[in-house]
Amino acid sequence: MTVLDDIIVGVREDLQQRREALGDVEIRERALAAAPARDAFAALGGTPDGTGRDTVLRVISEVKRKSPSKGALAEIPEPAALAARYVEGGASVISVLTEQRRFGGSLADFDAVRAAVEIPLLRKDFTVDAYQIWEARAHGADLVLLIVAALDDATLASFLALTRELGMEALVETHTEEEVDRAVAAGARIIGVNVRNLKTLDVDRGNFARLAGRIPESAVIIAESGVRDAADVAEYGSHGADAILVGEALVKDNDPVGALRAFIGAGTAARPARTA
């Protein structure tokens, strides 16, 4: 069993408990009653046809207490306070881990951040059931994470369709050429390349450069994982990243505002002009 497989087993068990406490009908009612989702595609620099992009590198800043690869990262007693600092530093989107067992997250963390900031939020979890998408919208999420490695093509397409029906966007995460092609075929508008292999937890930063060129110019391209410093951000930017998703380097930094500004500056300076 891979690390990803093991995580998903726990995700399904925890999901079942939440579903028993709040059924499908109730969660859908709450989702439909929620305030409209914010435009995460635009917040990440996306435009309808891929033209007219500016050169600013965006950052998805993550509220992340621990990870399977690194263990405990930061206590984060007040996720809302951290989120406010992310906004101050220039984050375009905030990602909040809600997976409990391996990442120490919760929907309570998400709710606290949602109440504190107005920018789009990504509900970062391992989406394996449509219930989680309805649940994300009910809690005010603007994006959900869809990991191609965890979904077959039919499920990926149906989850993308549901996400859009609810007014949200999906960050569709890939790790291989085949997964990028599957994401593109499914119509993903925000495609992430995660340089951490979720099956082994190995990091290969060069994977972003190898895969980014397969993604259409019309899509927003996200570099995920592996950021240690501004030099890594510049490297991603030079290979076409429109945005980066970063957690560990920010939650462990005593000055996340300064770190964010440095990341945005370095990535923006390195980005090539978009031609589409």
Side-chain angles (χ1 to χ4, degrees):
M1 179 180 287
T2 68
V3 175
L4 178 61
D5 292 334
D6 187 50
I7 290 172
I8 288 174
V9 169
V11 165
R12 289 189 181 279
E13 291 175 357
D14 294 340
L15 165 62
Q16 185 58 34
Q17 292 180 8
R18 297 196 307 277
R19 192 176 229 149
E20 290 172 358
L22 189 69
D24 289 66
V25 172
E26 292 83 1
I27 202 67
R28 292 185 182 201
E29 289 175 347
R30 293 191 184 188
L32 295 174
R38 295 155 178 81
D39 190 344
F41 184 69
L44 291 169
T47 57
D49 59 0
T51 63
R53 299 276 184 94
D54 60 38
T55 59
V56 176
L57 180 126
R58 271 71 175 183
V59 177
I60 304 174
S61 303
E62 197 152 77
V63 177
K64 181 179 184 179
R65 289 193 174 89
K66 63 181 183 178
S67 73
S69 61
K70 296 294 183 66
L73 301 174
E75 292 185 6
I76 314 180
E78 297 183 26
L82 177 59
R85 298 200 74 190
Y86 285 163
V87 172
E88 181 183 353
S92 295
V93 171
I94 295 175
S95 168
V96 183
L97 263 300
T98 60
E99 197 281 333
Q100 302 173 38
R101 302 187 184 201
R102 297 296 191 99
F103 293 88
S106 68
L107 283 165
D109 284 347
F110 190 94
D111 291 341
V113 173
R114 177 74 289 165
V117 304
E118 291 299 326
I119 66 173
L121 296 190
L122 165 65
R123 191 258 177 106
K124 183 84 174 290
D125 212 317
F126 296 77
T127 306
V128 293
D129 191 293
Y131 181 97
Q132 293 166 283
I133 299 174
W134 289 97
E135 184 179 52
R137 185 80 280 274
H139 284 265
D142 309 292
L143 298 101
V144 296
L145 177 69
L146 302 180
I147 300 174
V148 174
L151 305 169
D152 60 35
D153 288 341
T155 304
L156 175 62
S158 69
F159 283 3
L160 267 173
L162 175 58
T163 298
R164 289 169 180 162
E165 286 172 17
L166 294 176
M168 295 188 293
E169 291 285 349
L171 168 53
V172 180
E173 179 175 297
T174 66
H175 304 82
T176 66
E177 290 184 354
E178 177 193 15
E179 290 173 12
V180 169
D181 294 345
R182 290 176 58 204
V184 172
R189 298 207 305 166
I190 303 174
I191 299 178
V193 174
N194 193 340
V195 303
R196 185 182 302 282
N197 185 326
L198 290 181
K199 296 180 179 180
T200 65
L201 300 183
D202 294 335
V203 170
D204 178 3
R205 292 175 184 83
N207 203 36
F208 181 80
R210 287 190 290 272
L211 299 185
R214 299 181 74 87
I215 301 173
E217 290 272 332
S218 57
V220 170
I221 305 172
I222 313 294
E224 302 179 52
S225 299
V227 172
R228 298 163 297 186
D229 51 34
D232 289 331
V233 179
E235 181 70 13
Y236 288 148
S238 72
H239 291 291
D242 295 307
I244 61 166
L245 189 154
V246 56
E248 178 183 347
L250 292 176
V251 300
K252 294 174 70 174
D253 197 301
N254 291 325
D255 180 19
V257 174
L260 259 171
R261 291 173 177 166
F263 290 169
I264 293 168
T268 298
R271 286 190 71 215
R274 297 295 290 257
T275 58

